[in-house]
Amino acid sequence: MSSTGQSAEVRLSIPADGAYIAVPRSVVGNLAARNDFTVDAIDDLRIAVDEACSLLLPQATDGVLDCVFVIDPPQLTVRTSAVVPAGWTPDTSSFGWTVLTALVETAAVETIDGRLTITVTATATATAAEKA
């Protein structure tokens, strides 16, 4: 559970520039740690968010990448989105997508009004020893 045991949402907008990928990566790591994710699960989430951002960055036509982190203990969902060229979707047979989907429970892509969103979800499964 989170420190409050309640659901919460954190929103973040960064420039669509590789120099800023560390920011959402740090945020997801912090949120996962506060919500009883194991050390390995935290690393997996960081890598998955990094991959989602990396897939969107070169396509972000307005120069902005948005991330929404939804904490609903024990789940953590991250929605990474950007305005992309019409018809563009990530190559779901690429190495990056394969890595992303291997690290989380679910991964999905959705486009609404020119904004593509990659959503990943993971669930905390920390053991008593790891919580100590």
Side-chain angles (χ1 to χ4, degrees), residues 80-99:
T80 306
S81 65
V83 175
V84 298
W88 182 84
T89 59
D91 179 1
T92 56
S93 65
S94 71
F95 178 74
W97 186 260
T98 301
V99 168

Side-chain angles (χ1 to χ4, degrees), residues 40-85:
D40 288 341
I42 293 168
D43 287 341
D44 289 350
L45 263 172
R46 284 181 177 150
I47 294 167
V49 167
D50 186 66
E51 288 298 329
C53 290
S54 294
L55 288 168
L56 286 172
L57 280 179
Q59 303 300 325
T61 58
D62 66 352
V64 176
L65 188 67
D66 294 315
C67 298
V68 178
F69 306 86
V70 180
I71 304 112
D72 190 13
Q75 283 196 323
L76 178 55
T77 299
V78 182
R79 294 188 305 265
T80 306
S81 65
V83 175
V84 298

Side-chain angles (χ1 to χ4, degrees), residues 109-120:
V109 176
E110 177 181 45
T111 303
I112 298 174
D113 296 330
R115 177 169 285 280
L116 188 130
T117 302
I118 298 173
T119 303
V120 298

